[in-house]
Amino acid sequence: MPPLNALLTVAKRPAPGRTKTRLAPPLTPEQASALYECLLRDTLDLMRRVPDVQPAIAFLPAEERAYFAALAPDFALVLQEGDDLGARLDNALTRALAGGCQRAVIMNSDGPTLPLDCLTGAFDKLANGADVVLGPADDGGYYLIGLRRPAPRLLREVRMSTPHVLADTLAIAAQERLHVEMLPLWYDVDDAASLARLQADLASAPSAAAPYTRAFLATLS
């Protein structure tokens, strides 16, 4: 039988000049790419700590399946399909739900210090009646969205990567009369300010938190 819960993360193969470009500067393109791989590895480890889920990577580009299979052999691999991010997110979630999962959550891959409670809480909220669960990000977007049934308008009719993604998503959810639950506010690591915040968080976090990212950042100093 398929698992009741699917937990996916979106990821691209790290490549200098193509991943985490807003981090260069202060980093070089090579450093930004290397950092992203560490963020991704720590995200995968975080996902492994969520009980009773089928973890999966929604990946790009198509020719990099072998890279992700080697990186996470215990994860299902789902090729991102669609002309833009909203369509790709909708396709990934809809595919998981159509495959028999009762709850599907998709998250970013650049928040390695995200509290585990945010992920377990997402599934709890969906199991307790929420149609939609959102993890708001401090840039106006969200780091996570989860559904109990497909809701394509929430993803396909919102212009992604703008400061009002969350507000637009909530407005459409209200039009669709969907019951939305919110998770705690968190942040993505995608520019110099959020990188500084991550470094400060890791300085006060337990030593086991985000080990790949922590080790890489130590090489910079």
Side-chain angles (χ1 to χ4, degrees):
M1 294 180 62
L4 296 181
N5 298 324
L7 177 59
L8 303 94
T9 187
V10 288
K12 293 183 179 180
R13 170 72 187 265
R18 289 191 292 171
T19 46
K20 291 299 170 190
T21 56
R22 292 171 59 195
L23 284 169
L27 306 181
T28 67
E30 291 75 19
Q31 288 172 330
S33 175
L35 172 61
Y36 173 60
E37 181 161 322
C38 294
L39 298 173
L40 174 57
R41 287 180 178 273
D42 285 328
T43 297
L44 299 178
D45 279 350
L46 176 64
M47 294 169 68
R48 291 183 177 103
R49 295 169 58 200
V50 182
D52 303 321
V53 301
Q54 169 61 66
I57 302 173
F59 72 94
L60 279 177
E63 60 269 20
E64 296 295 351
R65 176 178 288 272
Y67 166 82
F68 288 102
L71 184 69
D74 51 330
F75 277 55
L77 299 180
V78 179
L79 178 64
Q80 293 185 41
E81 297 178 310
D83 294 333
D84 55 37
L85 177 58
R88 293 193 292 269
L89 292 175
D90 176 49
N91 285 331
L93 288 169
T94 297
R95 179 174 175 176
L97 293 167
C101 290
Q102 294 184 10
R103 295 168 286 273
V105 169
I106 195 163
M107 61 182 290
N108 65 19
S109 54
D110 54 7
T113 57
L114 180 71
L116 180 63
D117 287 351
C118 292
L119 298 181
T120 57
F123 289 104
D124 289 343
K125 290 178 185 299
L126 291 171
N128 288 319
D131 298 308
V132 184
V133 61
L134 290 165
D138 60 5
D139 62 1
Y142 52 77
Y143 59 84
L144 173 156
I145 183 170
L147 302 173
R148 283 196 299 129
R149 60 179 183 271
R153 286 193 64 207
L154 294 187
L155 299 150
R156 293 178 180 265
E157 295 186 19
V158 171
R159 184 180 176 189
M160 297 294 177
S161 303
T162 68
H164 43 81
V165 169
L166 181 66
D168 291 348
T169 303
L170 289 171
I172 294 174
Q175 294 171 10
E176 295 285 297
R177 298 183 179 179
L178 297 172
H179 174 196
V180 180
E181 291 281 352
M182 304 292 285
L183 295 168
L185 185 71
W186 205 248
Y187 67 101
D188 307 327
V189 180
D190 54 16
D191 57 18
S194 55
L195 177 59
R197 178 176 175 180
L198 173 66
Q199 290 172 306
D201 282 352
L202 287 175
S204 60
S207 59
Y212 291 101
T213 302
R214 185 188 296 272
F216 176 78
L217 292 176
T219 69
L220 301 180
S221 57

